[in-house]
């Protein structure tokens, strides 16, 4: 009886859960659903897009956000030449040291450095951003519900004016997709925010797609490798199955039911069984 009560209440609790969850997210608008080149088992990153995204990151986002898990040498992985990556790194200064006199000093960043952080510490970051902390973006596409679609939505979801019945707090901006709608980050991307080196049209949507793809890559640079391995494993299993099937057919091709029934041993065995059944 106890058990039954428990089961019933557990079932009720579970059936309510989705209701609670959807009530919590109902605040933000439904996300746009985009098609990404890296979706699906055969999907892969679009290199030119990643390069455009890196340009958006370096020229816009890196003013406030760090990307601590990415090194300048990783720019070579998305198709920049080593010289280009070196030049991009050397645009940034990083603290090194101590030197022979025990002093810390600044030097241009190198391929072996991580992307330079915009602020020395959390307090400086908060102070510059009205008390809000711009999070590291290394794994942001994994860390947020909605993933890539959310990041794209966040970039394109700003409204110039909050709806009339919405009371926007001081220092915040209205975003359709940000949970609670009030975000301390001003709209970072606009049309022509970045002048693309490859000549792609610099619309807001294009910038948003490119930065999102770049951040998805940053969070998951070995995804293509994993997918390739997965496909190899599946092919291997298919071939193995086919081989075993052929082998089974070959082995059994020599054994027919007809022969088996008339095999002298089988016949003798059968007769023996019959005798035991009727001893008279
Ligand atoms: C002027 C500084 C500034 C710039 C430039 C900037 N951000 Fe932000 N960003 C912030 C701050 C501050 C927050 C924290 C907002 C808050 O807590 O309300 C934030 C938060 C975020 C978040 C987290 C939102 C969440 O769900 O918590 C993402 C994602 C993000 N920014 C992406 C970007 C991208 C991509 C760019 C470049 C296109 C960019 N930001 C440029 C200041 C900035």
């Amino acid at each position: 009886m106890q058990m039954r009560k428990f089961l019933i209440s557990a079932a009720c609790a579970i059936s309510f859960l989705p209701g609670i969850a959807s009530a919590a997210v109902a605040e933000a608008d439904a996300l746009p659903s985009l098609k990404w080149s890296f979706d699906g088992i055969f999907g892969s990153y679009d290199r030119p897009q990643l390069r455009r995204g890196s340009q958006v990151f370096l020229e816009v986002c890196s003013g406030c956000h760090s990307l601590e898990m990415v090194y300048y040498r990783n720019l070579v992985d998305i198709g920049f030449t080593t010289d280009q990556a070196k030049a991009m790194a050397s645009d940034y200064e990083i603290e090194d040291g101590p030197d022979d006199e025990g002093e810390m000093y600044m030097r241009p960043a190198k391929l072996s450095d991580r992307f330079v952080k915009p602020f020395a510490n959390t307090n400086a970051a908060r102070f510059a951003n009205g008390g809000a902390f711009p999070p590291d973006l290394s794994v942001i596409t994994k860390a947020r519900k909605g993933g890539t679609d959310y990041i794209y939505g966040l970039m394109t979801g700003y409204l110039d004016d909050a709806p009339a019945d919405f009371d926007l707090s001081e220092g915040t901006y209205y975003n359709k997709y940000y949970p609670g709608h009030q975000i301390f980050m001003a709209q970072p991307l606009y049309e022509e925010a970045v002048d693309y080196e490859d000549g792609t049209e610099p619309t807001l949507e294009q910038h948003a797609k490119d930065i999102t793809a770049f951040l998805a890559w940053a969070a998951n640079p070995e995804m293509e490798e994993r997918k390739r391995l997965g496909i190899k494993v599946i092919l291997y299993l298919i071939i193995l199955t086919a081989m075993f099937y052929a082998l089974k057919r070959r082995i059994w091709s020599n054994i027919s039911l007809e022969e088996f029934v008339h095999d002298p041993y089988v016949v003798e065995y059968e007769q023996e069984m019959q005798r035991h059944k009727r001893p008279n």
Side-chain angles (χ1 to χ4, degrees):
M1 198 58 201
Q2 278 293 320
M3 187 64 189
R4 192 152 155 219
K5 257 191 193 159
F6 170 75
L7 283 178
I8 291 172
S9 45
C12 290
I14 289 169
S15 62
F16 273 114
L17 273 180
I20 295 168
S22 58
V25 294
E27 274 205 34
D29 289 18
L31 285 173
S33 168
L34 277 84
K35 176 94 199 63
W36 300 99
S37 71
F38 44 88
D39 283 344
I41 165 163
F42 294 110
S44 61
Y45 294 118
D46 173 347
R47 304 283 136 169
Q49 177 165 57
L50 296 187
R51 291 198 289 276
R52 290 194 301 273
S54 70
Q55 218 187 321
V56 175
F57 181 83
L58 290 170
E59 289 182 28
V60 182
C61 321
S62 73
C64 298
H65 291 275
S66 57
L67 193 66
E68 293 207 34
M69 274 148 71
V70 181
Y71 291 76
Y72 289 106
R73 62 161 185 272
N74 295 133
L75 291 170
V76 176
D77 305 339
I78 59 175
F80 287 106
T81 65
T82 310
D83 285 341
Q84 283 172 327
K86 270 187 192 156
M88 288 160 87
S90 66
D91 285 344
Y92 298 84
E93 289 234 300
I94 196 164
E95 188 177 62
D96 203 347
D99 63 11
D100 295 344
E101 295 170 13
E103 300 292 332
M104 300 303 279
Y105 59 93
M106 299 303 280
R107 61 157 174 82
K110 297 186 292 201
L111 291 186
S112 54
D113 290 317
R114 293 163 191 266
F115 274 33
V116 172
K117 289 192 283 186
F119 299 105
N121 51 56
T122 317
N123 289 2
R126 282 193 189 282
F127 184 69
N129 285 285
F133 180 70
D136 183 80
L137 297 182
S138 301
V139 292
I140 198 79
T141 57
K142 287 190 198 165
R144 292 291 181 274
K145 192 163 179 280
T148 44
D149 288 342
Y150 170 68
I151 304 298
Y152 176 85
L154 192 68
M155 295 293 111
T156 54
Y158 283 89
L159 296 187
D160 291 339
D161 297 303
D165 57 346
F166 192 90
D167 191 13
L168 200 62
S169 307
E170 177 85 30
T172 66
Y173 303 85
Y174 190 92
N175 189 296
K176 283 193 282 180
Y177 304 111
Y178 187 68
H181 296 308
Q182 314 191 62
I183 184 164
F184 276 94
M185 171 169 69
Q187 178 169 346
L189 293 176
Y190 289 92
E191 193 168 340
E192 292 178 11
V194 169
D195 194 7
Y196 284 133
E197 272 157 27
D198 68 4
T200 302
E201 214 187 320
T203 61
L204 168 62
E205 288 73 22
Q206 188 66 47
H207 289 327
K209 279 183 203 160
D210 295 346
I211 184 64
T212 303
F214 175 73
L215 292 175
W217 166 79
N220 211 348
E222 68 299 327
M223 175 210 74
E224 292 168 329
E225 198 53 46
R226 265 208 324 274
K227 281 185 185 171
R228 270 199 288 273
L229 185 66
I231 293 168
K232 275 189 212 153
V233 168
I234 290 169
L235 277 180
Y236 175 80
L237 289 177
I238 291 174
I239 293 169
L240 203 68
T241 309
M243 277 167 57
F244 276 130
Y245 181 66
L247 194 67
K248 177 242 160 208
R249 288 194 34 144
R250 169 170 283 212
I251 292 172
W252 282 82
S253 67
N254 294 332
I255 303 168
S256 75
L257 195 59
E258 197 71 3
E259 277 173 35
F260 180 76
V261 173
H262 295 111
D263 188 284
Y265 288 106
V266 176
V267 172
E268 197 183 320
Y269 175 80
E270 276 290 308
Q271 286 167 352
E272 191 71 14
M273 291 301 281
Q274 294 300 329
R275 269 204 296 284
H276 281 290
K277 260 192 200 160
R278 295 188 222 102
N280 46 338

